[in-house]
Amino acid sequence: MPHPFIKLLRQTLPHQVCRYCMAPSAEGALCTHCQDALLDLKPRCFRCALPLNDPAGICGECLANPPAFERTLCADSYRPPISYWLQNFKDYRDLRDGHLLVQRLIQELETAYRADDLPDYLIPVPLHWRRALWRSFNQASWMAEQLRAHFDIPVIQALRRTRPGSDQRHLSRQDRLRNLRAVFQLQSDRRIHEHLQNRHLAVIDDVITTTATARAISAELRRQGAGRVDIWCLARTDKTHLSY
Ligand SMILES: [Zn+2]
Ligand SMILES: [Zn+2]
C-alpha cells in the first residue's frame, strides 16, 4: 500500500499527469513511455493465461485437467505497479486506477478478438451479499459496466454466491478449492437460464490466481447450458496452479 501522503497526492493530481512516473501526460492515465515500459508481452497459455516459455501453447495443467472455460484474457501479470493499482481500485475504490487497468484490458481484448467472436453476455463474479453490504462495491460489476460501455455487450448478473467466500488471498490452495465447491450458482430466474442457452459468455473478475474460481464458475455456467465461457481479468498471477 502506498504511503497515505502519496495516496492523497495521487488522488489530487490532475489527469494530465502520468499515474506511474508523474511526468506530464496529455494522452491519458499513463504516459507513452510508461505504457511501453509496462507492456506485458509474455507468451501465455491460450486457456488459462499462465505465462509460458513457448508462444501460443497450452500449459501442462490445462492439458491434464481441461477447464470448462475456453480461453482467458488478461492485460498484465500481478506484479508492481499493477498490483498496487489493483489494491487501490479494489480495496480503496480508486476508480482512476480502475479505469487505467480496464483500459489495458480493453487493449488486450481488442487484439485477442480480432480473429474470434466477442461474447454475447458479460457475467461479473458476484460478492456474497453480506460482503456486498459491508463493502458495497463489487469491482467485477464495475469492470463489467466499463466493458459493456466499450464493447456494447449486455451485462447479466447471472450468478450468486451461496456461502460467504472468506478472503481467498489468505487461504491455502487446498482451502480455496474446498471453499469454492458449490459456492457459485445460477440465479434462480428462469429468464436468465433461457438467456444463457448455447450462448458465448465472458466471466469478469479482477485477478486470476489458481483458476479455481474461474473453473468453478465456468463449470456451473456450462452445466446450465452456456455454449462457451471465456474469462476476462485485469491481472494473472504467474504461479502454477494446483492440480486437481
Ligand atoms: Zn509515465
Ligand atoms: Zn493453462
Side-chain angles (χ1 to χ4, degrees):
M1 195 47 223
H3 188 278
F5 175 72
I6 299 287
K7 205 177 147 221
L8 186 70
L9 185 69
R10 292 185 60 190
Q11 280 169 354
T12 50
L13 283 171
H15 283 286
Q16 288 75 19
V17 171
C18 173
R19 294 288 278 167
Y20 194 35
C21 72
M22 297 189 186
S25 167
E27 63 278 343
L30 288 180
C31 70
T32 323
H33 172 80
C34 290
Q35 253 173 31
D36 291 349
L38 290 172
L39 257 190
D40 192 334
L41 298 171
K42 279 192 208 100
R44 291 176 179 277
C45 170
F46 182 83
R47 302 294 294 274
C48 75
L50 188 76
L52 290 179
N53 291 329
D54 68 294
I58 292 188
C59 76
E61 179 61 35
C62 287
L63 285 173
N65 294 301
F69 53 81
E70 180 80 11
R71 63 186 302 195
T72 301
L73 280 310
C74 70
D76 290 292
S77 285
Y78 189 78
R79 60 181 162 78
I82 305 294
S83 47
Y84 299 137
W85 293 335
L86 259 158
Q87 209 176 15
N88 281 341
F89 164 53
K90 189 172 162 169
D91 297 339
Y92 300 93
R93 212 185 299 188
D94 187 332
L95 298 186
R96 285 202 228 173
D97 286 333
H99 281 293
L100 188 159
L101 293 165
V102 167
Q103 212 46 51
R104 292 173 71 80
L105 176 60
I106 286 173
Q107 278 172 14
E108 174 68 23
L109 295 170
E110 296 270 14
T111 313
Y113 285 88
R114 251 178 231 152
D116 197 356
D117 294 326
L118 278 164
D120 301 305
Y121 296 115
L122 307 178
I123 315 279
V125 173
L127 291 177
H128 186 269
W129 66 269
R130 259 179 286 178
R131 288 193 85 201
L133 269 184
W134 178 62
R135 288 182 52 175
S136 69
F137 176 61
N138 179 349
Q139 66 277 5
S141 290
W142 185 88
M143 285 171 60
E145 283 306 316
Q146 311 308 307
L147 295 163
R148 178 196 59 73
H150 183 86
F151 290 106
D152 198 23
I153 301 173
V155 176
I156 305 186
Q157 302 284 350
L159 297 164
R160 65 193 174 97
R161 269 185 208 249
T162 54
R163 282 183 292 149
S166 42
D167 196 335
Q168 296 283 318
R169 285 174 294 189
H170 306 301
L171 294 179
S172 74
R173 288 178 177 185
Q174 212 140 27
D175 285 342
R176 285 185 196 206
L177 289 182
R178 203 169 298 133
N179 214 15
L180 283 168
R181 230 164 265 151
V183 163
F184 295 102
Q185 286 182 6
L186 201 67
Q187 299 275 17
S188 48
D189 179 334
R190 200 165 43 83
R191 284 166 308 171
I192 289 181
H193 189 266
E194 282 165 10
H195 271 313
L196 303 189
Q197 298 310 302
N198 302 312
R199 294 302 191 133
H200 177 185
L201 314 175
V203 171
I204 313 297
D205 205 356
D206 52 355
V207 182
I208 300 291
T209 51
T210 63
T211 73
T213 300
R215 281 173 180 263
I217 287 177
S218 54
E220 168 68 2
L221 291 171
R222 293 295 305 277
R223 200 175 65 82
Q224 297 285 350
R228 169 178 164 181
V229 179
D230 295 352
I231 310 294
W232 291 2
C233 61
L234 297 176
R236 172 79 161 99
T237 57
D238 288 354
K239 283 176 259 174
T240 49
H241 39 210
L242 182 77
S243 0
Y244 59 100

